[in-house]
């Protein structure tokens, strides 16, 4: 004889641990027949262990569309090739589908012979439903949304992105976003934004052009957000965009009109630095746009005695208080003679109504 008291005690302890685990655990023998079905599996599916023991797990409890894949996982485990984090649906007693995330592990007897497979699962039905809702929201959003995995390959491309670019989801899935849909001269900048987001450093309001199926460029204003799984691991980047092609065209038209106007027009940003200086301003003062842009208007182009007054007019306009018919002198590059300007100082705002500077339309 052989004293198997310790072995039996160990097996009983193993069975107790399985039965009281807070995860669904089930097992099959070499023929695929259920021989392990713990309380949590019963609770999840509605089937008591007595109802499932000896029945074929794949044939009787797996939805038709997943039978082949689940059988393949169990067959591999019976050949010592274990599978982690395999998702599949179980059918409950009420006929409801529950989603399970499974680790399929080879089971061996005391002689180390393969005796079956044990699966330790996790009910991810709620998570899958949440992901599906998330996917629906993305797909129906009225903004172009696209995402990439950690390798930069497209895995999200919503209906609006299809409309904006004319590329269907099937055209883009699995392709490299930067290499295949960004013009060469912009690739490094865009790649840098995605690389930063993959490292948790997100970017808001990044402008870049996407290439459409017709070969045109559409300008996108993008928020690049790090995408994480339920464990917090980075799994990619999702970009929520805005098509600003029309806005940029309008801004360019606005710039052309300013530059060709027969009146001096100049503007400053929130810091009082010049960001608009049209041709008429250049002709009038002798200062080219390249000499003025980025420099303080008050400090560099207004005579000292008028600086406080001009600074006050600009400050007021930055607070939304505009001034009409304000007279002040501008300096001339080639002459000591001052140029008297009659100015309307107007608050400049972005498309959201936020103050971004002041534009002055003058008269010599």
């Amino acid at each position: 004889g052989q004293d198997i008291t310790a072995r039996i005690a160990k097996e009983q302890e193993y069975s107790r641990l399985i039965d009281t685990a807070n995860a669904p655990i089930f097992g099959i023998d070499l023929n695929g027949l259920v021989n392990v079905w713990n309380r949590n599996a019963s609770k999840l599916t509605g089937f008591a262990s007595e109802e499932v023991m000896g029945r074929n797990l794949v044939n009787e409890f797996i939805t038709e569309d997943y039978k082949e894949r689940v059988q393949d996982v169990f067959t591999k485990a019976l050949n010592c090739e274990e599978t982690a984090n395999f998702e599949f649906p179980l059918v409950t007693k009420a006929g409801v589908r529950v989603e399970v995330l499974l680790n399929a592990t080879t089971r061996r007897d005391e002689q180390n012979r393969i005796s079956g497979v044990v699966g330790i699962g996790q009910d991810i039905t709620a998570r899958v439903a949440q992901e599906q809702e998330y996917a629906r929201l993305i797909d129906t959003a009225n903004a172009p949304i696209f995402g990439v995995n950690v390798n930069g390959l497209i895995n999200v491309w919503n209906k609006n992105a299809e409309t904006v670019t004319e590329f269907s989801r099937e055209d883009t899935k699995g392709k490299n976003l930067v290499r295949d849909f960004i013009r060469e001269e912009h690739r490094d900048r865009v790649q840098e934004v995605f690389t930063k987001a993959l490292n948790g450093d997100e970017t808001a309001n990044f402008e870049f052009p996407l290439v459409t199926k017709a070969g045109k460029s559409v300008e996108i204003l993008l928020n690049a957000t790090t995408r994480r799984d339920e464990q917090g691991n980075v799994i990619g980047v999702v970009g929520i965009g805005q098509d600003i092609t029309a806005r940029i065209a309008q801004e360019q038209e606005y710039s052309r009109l300013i530059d060709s106007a027969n009146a001096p027009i100049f503007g400053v940003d929130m810091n009082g630095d010049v960001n608009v200086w049209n041709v008429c301003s250049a002709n009038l003062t002798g200062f080219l746009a390249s000499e003025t842009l980025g420099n303080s208007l008050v400090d560099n182009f207004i005579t000292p005695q008028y600086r406080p007054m001009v600074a006050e007019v600009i400050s007021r306009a930055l607070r939304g208080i505009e001034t009409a018919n304000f007279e002040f002198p501008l300096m001339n590059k080639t002459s000591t003679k001052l140029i008297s300007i009659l100015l309307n100082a107007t608050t400049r705002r972005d498309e959201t109504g936020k103050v971004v500077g002041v534009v002055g339309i003058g008269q010599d």
Side-chain angles (χ1 to χ4, degrees):
Q2 183 184 353
D3 181 6
I4 57 171
T5 310
R7 195 193 82 195
I8 289 174
K10 188 175 177 180
E11 286 176 354
Q12 288 171 339
E13 176 62 17
Y14 173 73
S15 293
R16 275 195 298 274
L17 289 172
I18 283 179
D19 209 40
T20 57
N22 62 355
I25 300 177
F26 35 84
I28 57 169
D29 62 19
L30 294 170
N31 298 311
L33 306 181
V34 178
N35 57 6
V36 174
W37 194 266
N38 77 341
R39 290 177 193 172
N40 198 286
S42 295
K43 182 181 176 184
L44 179 66
T45 64
F47 288 108
S49 60
E50 304 81 51
E51 296 177 279
V52 297
M53 289 294 184
R55 292 169 69 179
N56 190 290
L57 178 64
V58 173
N59 289 346
E60 299 190 52
F61 302 100
I62 305 296
T63 58
E64 195 65 39
D65 52 330
Y66 269 82
K67 282 180 181 174
E68 191 175 330
R69 275 178 279 182
V70 176
Q71 186 60 62
D72 184 54
V73 166
F74 289 150
T75 301
K76 284 180 175 179
L78 289 171
N79 287 293
C80 304
E81 189 181 337
E82 300 180 344
T83 300
N85 298 326
F86 173 67
E87 287 187 30
F88 74 100
L90 272 174
V91 180
T92 70
K93 194 171 185 176
V96 177
R97 175 173 165 147
V98 290
E99 301 291 334
V100 175
L101 186 68
L102 186 79
N103 286 355
T105 305
T106 308
R107 197 174 184 192
R108 297 174 184 274
D109 63 16
E110 64 277 8
Q111 276 84 44
N112 203 35
R113 293 175 304 203
I114 294 170
S115 60
V117 180
V118 66
I120 301 174
Q122 179 187 349
D123 179 10
I124 58 167
T125 310
R127 193 197 84 192
V128 169
Q130 189 178 43
E131 287 175 354
Q132 288 170 342
E133 176 63 15
Y134 171 74
R136 277 194 296 273
L137 289 172
I138 282 179
D139 210 39
T140 57
N142 62 353
I145 301 177
F146 35 84
V148 296
N149 64 16
V150 291
N151 299 312
L153 305 182
I154 295 168
N155 55 7
V156 175
W157 194 268
N158 77 341
K159 288 177 182 173
N160 197 281
E162 289 183 321
T163 301
V164 167
T165 67
E166 298 166 3
F167 284 109
S168 70
R169 188 174 294 128
E170 292 70 34
D171 290 332
T172 61
K173 190 176 181 181
K175 290 189 177 177
N176 188 289
L177 177 65
V178 173
R179 189 187 63 226
D180 297 330
F181 300 99
I182 306 295
R183 293 199 188 280
E184 190 170 355
E185 62 270 24
H186 295 281
R187 285 176 190 164
D188 288 345
R189 282 192 314 125
V190 177
Q191 185 60 61
E192 184 185 3
V193 166
F194 287 141
T195 301
K196 285 170 75 173
L198 287 171
N199 287 304
D201 185 4
E202 300 178 344
T203 300
N205 298 327
F206 173 68
E207 287 186 30
F208 75 100
L210 268 177
V211 179
T212 70
K213 200 166 189 176
K216 296 177 181 177
S217 284
V218 289
E219 298 293 332
I220 301 291
L221 185 68
L222 186 80
N223 287 355
T225 305
T226 308
R227 197 173 184 191
R228 299 176 185 272
D229 63 17
E230 62 277 8
Q231 279 86 41
N233 301 311
V234 174
I235 56 170
V237 179
V238 65
I240 301 175
Q242 180 186 348
D243 181 4
I244 57 170
T245 310
R247 193 195 85 190
I248 286 178
Q250 189 177 43
E251 287 175 355
Q252 289 170 342
E253 177 63 15
Y254 171 76
S255 293
R256 279 194 295 272
L257 289 172
I258 283 178
D259 215 37
S260 58
N262 60 357
I265 300 176
F266 38 84
V268 296
D269 61 19
M270 296 297 293
N271 299 313
D273 295 333
V274 177
N275 57 5
V276 175
W277 194 265
N278 76 342
V279 173
C280 187
S281 296
N283 292 338
L284 192 63
T285 65
F287 289 106
L288 298 174
S290 57
E291 297 175 284
T292 61
L293 295 177
N295 293 311
S296 170
L297 175 69
V298 172
D299 292 344
N300 294 289
F301 306 103
I302 306 294
T303 55
Q305 64 268 36
Y306 273 87
R307 283 173 191 166
M309 281 182 282
V310 176
E312 175 62 21
V313 167
I314 290 172
S315 175
R316 284 165 59 88
L318 288 172
R319 299 196 305 271
I321 306 166
E322 300 179 345
T323 300
N325 299 326
F326 173 66
E327 199 173 321
F328 74 100
L330 266 177
M331 295 167 66
N332 189 294
K333 184 180 179 180
T334 57
S335 168
T336 55
K337 185 182 176 183
L338 299 176
I339 304 155
S340 287
I341 298 290
L342 189 65
L343 186 81
N344 287 353
T346 305
T347 307
R348 197 173 184 191
R349 300 176 186 272
D350 65 15
E351 66 279 5
T352 64
K354 181 183 174 184
V355 174
V356 294
V358 179
V359 65
I361 302 174
Q363 179 184 345
D364 178 11

